[in-house]
Amino acid sequence: MGNSLKAIVAFVPSNKCQKYLLEDLEEMPVDKMVDLSGRQMRRLPVHICSFRELVKLYLSDNNLHHLPPELEQLQNLQILALDFNNFKALPLVVCTLKQLCILYLGNNKLCSLPLELRLLQNLKTLWIESNCLQYLPEVVCELSLLKTLHAGSNALRTLPPQLQCLQELRTIWLSGNLLSEFPPVLLDMPFLEVIDVDRNSIRFFPSLAHLPGLKLVIYDHNPCRNAPKVAKGVRRVGRWSEETPEPRKRSGAVIEITLDEKPLLPPATKIEPE
């Protein structure tokens, strides 16, 4: 059915209309995944919350701004995609889903995150890009297993020093913010592998050569006067990245700069938990 009709049907609370919206999805799929992306929904059909063994729920690209309390029944959920919706605040019911590993919140209207987010101690990947965040909520620094943080396209001017407590963090994407200097806290995070500060207002880069885990730094589209110094084997993307490079020759042989797992720009497709 067309998107306009879907939007109307989704707004009607009757069981018949919700069944129509779900296209006869009466039983939980064998793969334990439900994808209701792009259906112009204004409310989540409560029937979905009866699928208690559900592992993946994709609600991207709708018109959602709240979620029903019944969502708490999905205690096996590991992936929840709420990106490209109209959330001005994260529904607290999300913070009751303690098995979540991946949470997509990008492209909403979030100005903050609730303290209850700290309850998601299994979270490994958090996408909060393209929101209205003027600061990185300190509660993010309490997600001890977090490995990947996507916080680009907000209005961040700095990062909290508590971020260095995230010793499992390997990748941080900060492209398209309002950083006027390279965040000092990142200099104290030797375990970082990928740092992206593309499209900010950074005028000077400190040396990153002391970060032993670093594999890739993206610093393009900044009004910088220098390229960040990096250790041998670290890939740089930005102005002057090929000037004064790390040593590439040893005993006359050319050493290729490669990555064990070559990181790219933030993937457009959703990723699975490890």
Side-chain angles (χ1 to χ4, degrees):
M1 55 182 165
N3 285 339
S4 297
L5 182 56
K6 287 180 181 179
I8 295 173
V9 172
F11 212 53
V12 178
S14 72
N15 291 333
K16 184 176 181 179
C17 287
Q18 291 201 19
K19 181 179 178 180
Y20 184 47
L21 177 71
L22 295 176
E23 298 176 357
D24 295 324
L25 183 61
E26 297 182 0
E27 298 181 359
M28 189 184 71
V30 176
D31 60 3
K32 300 181 179 181
M33 178 187 77
V34 169
D35 188 351
L36 295 176
S37 301
R39 302 201 183 197
Q40 302 300 310
M41 294 189 303
R42 295 180 181 272
R43 59 192 299 272
L44 175 66
V46 177
H47 178 61
I48 293 298
C49 301
S50 66
F51 299 160
R52 300 196 177 199
E53 298 302 314
L54 201 64
V55 173
K56 307 172 187 177
L57 178 57
Y58 297 94
L59 302 173
S60 308
D61 193 18
N62 283 293
N63 292 312
L64 300 172
H65 57 85
H66 73 280
L67 295 171
E70 290 85 354
L71 191 73
E72 186 176 3
Q73 299 176 40
L74 303 182
Q75 286 300 311
N76 290 297
L77 206 62
Q78 296 181 27
I79 301 177
L80 177 60
L82 299 174
D83 47 330
F84 292 94
N85 276 284
N86 292 317
F87 291 103
K88 294 183 179 180
L90 179 65
L92 293 183
V93 66
V94 173
C95 301
T96 68
L97 306 175
K98 297 183 180 180
Q99 296 304 314
L100 279 183
C101 297
I102 302 175
L103 179 58
Y104 298 97
L105 299 175
N107 290 273
N108 278 285
K109 301 174 182 178
L110 301 174
C111 294
S112 63
L113 294 173
L115 293 177
E116 289 81 357
L117 189 72
R118 62 166 63 105
L119 299 175
L120 301 182
Q121 284 300 308
N122 284 308
L123 206 61
K124 295 182 179 179
T125 299
L126 177 62
W127 293 60
I128 51 175
E129 80 285 359
S130 299
N131 275 285
C132 305
L133 299 170
Q134 296 185 16
Y135 62 92
L136 184 68
E138 292 184 7
V139 66
V140 172
C141 305
E142 299 184 44
L143 303 174
S144 59
L145 296 183
L146 200 65
K147 289 187 175 181
T148 302
L149 176 61
H150 293 262
S153 298
N154 280 285
L156 305 181
R157 296 181 181 275
T158 186
L159 297 179
Q162 296 90 330
L163 193 69
Q164 65 179 305
C165 297
L166 297 182
Q167 298 192 13
E168 296 298 319
L169 194 65
R170 297 295 179 267
T171 303
I172 185 166
W173 305 94
L174 299 167
S175 175
N177 277 287
L178 301 176
L179 301 172
S180 59
E181 66 173 348
F182 186 83
V185 64
L186 299 184
L187 300 175
D188 296 322
M189 302 177 70
F191 34 80
L192 283 176
E193 296 179 0
V194 178
I195 299 174
D196 176 17
V197 289
D198 183 28
R199 299 184 186 279
N200 277 277
S201 300
I202 301 173
R203 295 186 174 277
F204 176 80
F205 280 95
S207 173
L208 306 180
H210 66 289
L211 300 179
L214 195 61
K215 296 179 180 180
L216 169 67
V217 55
I218 304 173
Y219 65 95
D220 209 7
H221 303 100
N222 279 280
C224 53
R225 303 188 303 270
N226 68 311
K229 293 182 179 179
V230 294
K232 182 176 64 175
V234 178
R235 181 185 172 198
R236 297 181 298 183
V237 177
R239 192 178 182 188
W240 307 301
S241 62
E242 297 304 321
E243 295 181 16
T244 60
E246 59 273 21
R248 296 192 184 190
K249 292 185 179 181
R250 183 181 302 164
S251 301
V254 176
I255 306 298
E256 294 292 335
I257 298 178
T258 59
L259 304 179
D260 293 335
E261 183 177 350
K262 188 174 181 180
L264 302 173
L265 293 176
T269 56
K270 304 235 179 340
I271 54 179
E272 302 294 318
E274 297 179 353

